[in-house]
Amino acid sequence: TNNNFPKLASSAAHLFGRNKAWTEEGGSLGVEGKFQLDYQLVRGMTLMQLQGALGRGGMDSAASPAPPPAMPLLAWYTNRAAYLMSIGRPAAQVALYHPANSMWLGDEEADRSTTRLSKELLEHQVDFDYLDEQSLASVATLENGGLRNLSGQVYRAVIVPSSVVITRASLDRLRAFAAAGGKVVFVGHVPEMVMEKTFLHPAGAPDLSFAVHEPAGAITAAVLQALPKPDVALDRPSAAIKYTHRTWSDADLYFFFNESDEKQSRTVRVFGRGQAQAWDASDGLVHPIKAAVAESGAIRLPLVLEPYEAKFIVIGPLVADASTPEPSLTTGDMVAELPGESPQP
């Protein structure tokens, strides 16, 4: 099952300069509902309609039951989280080209490759946006060796999944991007045809000497090596930890989410300058992270995530009314355990 539709929606918002990406979020008030909420937030969604949590009776009816007691807590968390995810601009440096024309030709591997690479990028803590042909050829502009979208976000690398055809417009733009200093990586099967405005009379296989080619069809060490320096680096691999990064005028926001039922304890290095802080979206408090260590243009800090836990980490000036230091990022101890059923796969 391809569950990357939130990433498709947030990518469209990023490409076209919109700070809101809406979703009708399902689920419930238990662990499963919170999991679905954070699953979409970490993939860039910013405007959440809590349809499932409100029940099925129609809240405008006199016969409808009152909202569950946990609803205000979930609503406040959602409002705060959505606000934090809406301000500033997205910071992903990597774009994943969406080979729609190959899919139109019946290239099922192009679809499978896109889905597979999306999953592997997230599991390697490489934040990305989907980049379609229209955006690549018209919306994205070459700027200082990168591709700048309408949000002001700059992509430094473009990954092209397995495909059998590519348009002339996309090929020319990718070649110009590489000549300006960007990285282009073809993963899997490379295009055999170059098409103009239609599929009639396509040209033969293109010259891709300007790009890196990884025939294995996966996000390998060679692919990671070709990408820009990561803004998030764990001391040990963890496929369960997902993140998204937004830049503010004076700070950097990182949203981390543990998508597994096992505790994840890592040391993480993130881009940014200033005080490391944990912003708790459930109660609105800001906690300094005392164990953080400043490095050259980055911060190294402990990252402790309980099963299905999510955290907002901000690097920047400490707010004036900050609370006490963040306990779970200082001692690694569990702060609280909330009841509820585990999410279904």
Side-chain angles (χ1 to χ4, degrees), residues 179-192:
K183 292 288 187 179
V184 180
V185 184
F186 285 82
V187 179
H189 189 83
V190 295
E192 303 169 354

Side-chain angles (χ1 to χ4, degrees), residues 63-97:
S64 298
M71 185 60 202
L73 176 63
L74 184 65
W76 273 113
Y77 175 87
T78 303
N79 287 340
R80 293 188 181 106
Y83 172 75
L84 294 177
M85 292 289 293
S86 298
I87 60 177
R89 67 185 181 202
Q93 304 179 81
V94 175
L96 181 62
Y97 182 76

Side-chain angles (χ1 to χ4, degrees), residues 98-337:
H98 198 277
N101 283 296
S102 272
M103 296 178 189
W104 275 113
L105 278 180
D107 182 8
E108 295 183 4
E109 177 55 26
D111 186 29
R112 289 191 293 266
S113 174
T114 302
T115 302
R116 181 170 59 250
L117 297 182
S118 303
K119 178 176 181 291
E120 292 178 357
L121 285 170
L122 293 174
E123 291 176 346
H124 284 86
Q125 290 76 48
V126 178
D127 196 10
F128 72 94
D129 284 331
Y130 289 110
L131 179 65
D132 66 316
E133 178 192 342
Q134 175 192 2
S135 302
L136 177 61
S138 61
V139 172
T141 57
L142 288 172
E143 181 177 298
N144 298 325
L147 284 169
R148 185 180 187 273
N149 65 21
L150 296 184
S151 293
Q153 175 186 3
V154 178
Y155 304 116
R156 301 292 178 186
V158 177
I159 299 174
V160 182
S162 178
S163 51
V164 297
V165 65
I166 190 169
T167 64
R168 176 68 64 188
S170 292
L171 181 63
D172 290 345
R173 181 54 64 95
L174 290 175
R175 185 178 286 111
F177 171 60
K183 292 288 187 179
V184 180
V185 184
F186 285 82
V187 179
H189 189 83
V190 295
E192 303 169 354
M193 299 177 287
V194 179
M195 56 171 281
E196 301 292 342
K197 293 183 178 180
T198 73
F199 291 109
L200 293 175
H201 313 300
D207 177 8
L208 301 179
S209 59
F210 65 88
V212 175
H213 179 212
E214 174 50 83
I219 301 299
T220 63
V223 174
L224 294 174
Q225 184 66 31
L227 300 181
K229 185 176 181 179
D231 52 5
V232 166
L234 303 179
D235 62 335
R236 290 178 291 117
S238 173
I241 296 178
K242 310 299 191 298
Y243 88 101
T244 191
H245 175 198
R246 295 187 70 88
T247 57
W248 296 349
S249 61
D250 61 347
D252 288 87
L253 169 77
Y254 294 90
F255 179 60
F256 290 98
F257 179 39
N258 175 14
E259 292 187 352
S260 76
D261 59 358
E262 296 182 357
K263 180 177 179 177
Q264 303 291 318
S265 284
R266 298 291 189 274
T267 297
V268 61
R269 183 181 186 272
V270 298
F271 284 170
R273 298 178 185 274
Q275 172 71 52
Q277 310 151 56
W279 289 35
D280 192 335
S282 62
D283 58 18
L285 297 179
V286 174
H287 302 275
I289 302 174
K290 295 297 186 182
V293 178
E295 298 183 352
S296 178
I299 301 288
R300 190 179 299 275
L301 55 93
L303 181 64
V304 181
L305 297 169
E306 297 298 330
Y308 311 125
E309 185 180 12
K311 277 185 174 146
F312 286 96
I313 305 294
V314 174
I315 311 296
L318 184 63
V319 296
D321 57 348
S323 185
T324 55
E326 219 292 343
S328 70
L329 293 182
T330 302
T331 65
D333 297 331
M334 181 181 293
V335 178
E337 183 172 2

Side-chain angles (χ1 to χ4, degrees), residues 40-61:
Q40 298 191 65
L41 282 169
V42 82
R43 285 161 177 79
M45 303 306 291
T46 62
L47 189 59
M48 325 296 288
Q49 179 177 334
L50 301 181
Q51 185 70 19
L54 293 175
R56 300 176 181 272
M59 300 307 296
D60 58 346
S61 169

